[in-house]
Amino acid sequence: MEENNLQSMTVGGGCFWCTEAVFDQIKGVVKVVSGYSGGTVPGTPTYREVCSGLTGHAEVIQVTFNAAIVSFEDLLVIFMTSHDPTTLNRQGADRGTQYRSVIFYHNESQKEIAQAVLNEMRPYYKDEIVTEVSALKTFYPAELEHQDYYKNNKTQGYCTAVISPKLARLRQMHADKLKLN
């Protein structure tokens, strides 16, 4: 794998445990780190602070991927179809700005691609897409217990009730993009 093909993407689609589990399955994804971004409070935020909704940060993942294997555009389509981009500050039972749908672009090219993907996806949704598109300022990795959460807790209630069905849908919709396990 050539280093010059590696790129990063930062997105939030509700609980980072879910989005991390989805992107861990995708061919060309090298690394997925759960974390926080988009807030205004100085210093490194904690999970408890972000969950309070007072930091302005969203739960996000930062994906390192090989662009020779999977494109940023394809990753965004997977992102848009693996959560509900039409609910403002909410995903399922999770409510608050920390669970907003957001794409934090790393450069102008990513911004343009993100806006194009959102426009392409609009006809597929009955309600308006509310996904925020903003420049990435700072990404803060989440605490260790939030990394690889699904891999480490597959039998936990939230994982079986929320994440496992999401992964089953991913396998149906994007089978051609999945890693061979």
Side-chain angles (χ1 to χ4, degrees):
M1 175 174 57
E2 293 183 40
E3 288 290 315
N4 61 352
N5 286 330
L6 293 184
Q7 295 182 21
S8 294
M9 172 180 93
T10 306
V11 294
C15 173
F16 50 31
W17 298 340
C18 292
T19 49
E20 178 189 68
V22 165
F23 285 92
D24 271 340
Q25 307 288 312
I26 307 302
K27 221 181 321 185
V29 169
V30 177
K31 180 170 82 171
V32 182
V33 178
S34 290
Y36 318 108
S37 193
T40 56
V41 175
T44 303
T46 65
Y47 181 72
R48 184 181 193 127
E49 291 167 341
V50 172
C51 284
S52 76
L54 300 175
T55 66
H57 286 294
E59 287 191 16
V60 299
I61 57 166
Q62 192 157 79
V63 179
T64 303
F65 63 99
N66 183 335
I69 298 172
V70 65
S71 70
F72 179 66
E73 181 177 1
D74 284 343
L75 291 174
L76 286 182
V77 169
I78 292 167
F79 168 68
M80 294 298 290
T81 57
S82 66
H83 78 293
D84 184 351
T86 68
T87 54
L88 186 62
N89 301 327
R90 179 171 60 88
Q91 287 299 306
D94 294 329
R95 298 178 189 283
T97 58
Q98 66 272 30
Y99 302 114
R100 67 189 179 270
S101 176
V102 59
I103 301 166
F104 288 110
Y105 58 87
H106 292 227
N107 54 49
E108 284 302 307
S109 174
Q110 283 191 353
K111 178 182 179 181
E112 290 170 15
I113 293 168
Q115 290 169 334
V117 168
L118 290 179
N119 287 332
E120 289 171 23
M121 299 296 290
R122 286 189 205 299
Y124 297 97
Y125 291 94
K126 184 181 83 167
D127 297 320
E128 181 183 344
I129 292 175
V130 295
T131 303
E132 170 189 331
V133 177
S134 296
L136 178 70
K137 291 184 175 79
T138 307
F139 171 79
Y140 299 97
E143 298 84 346
L144 189 58
E145 64 266 24
H146 299 291
Q147 307 301 331
D148 297 315
Y149 191 84
Y150 181 75
K151 281 183 195 172
N152 297 327
N153 298 279
K154 286 182 183 174
T155 60
Q156 191 258 7
Y158 183 86
C159 293
T160 59
V162 178
I163 301 175
S164 291
K166 191 176 283 256
L167 293 178
R169 196 167 120 215
L170 173 73
R171 286 188 284 278
Q172 286 181 326
M173 295 182 73
H174 301 287
D176 61 322
K177 300 280 190 264
L178 300 180
K179 292 176 181 172
L180 302 173
N181 292 351

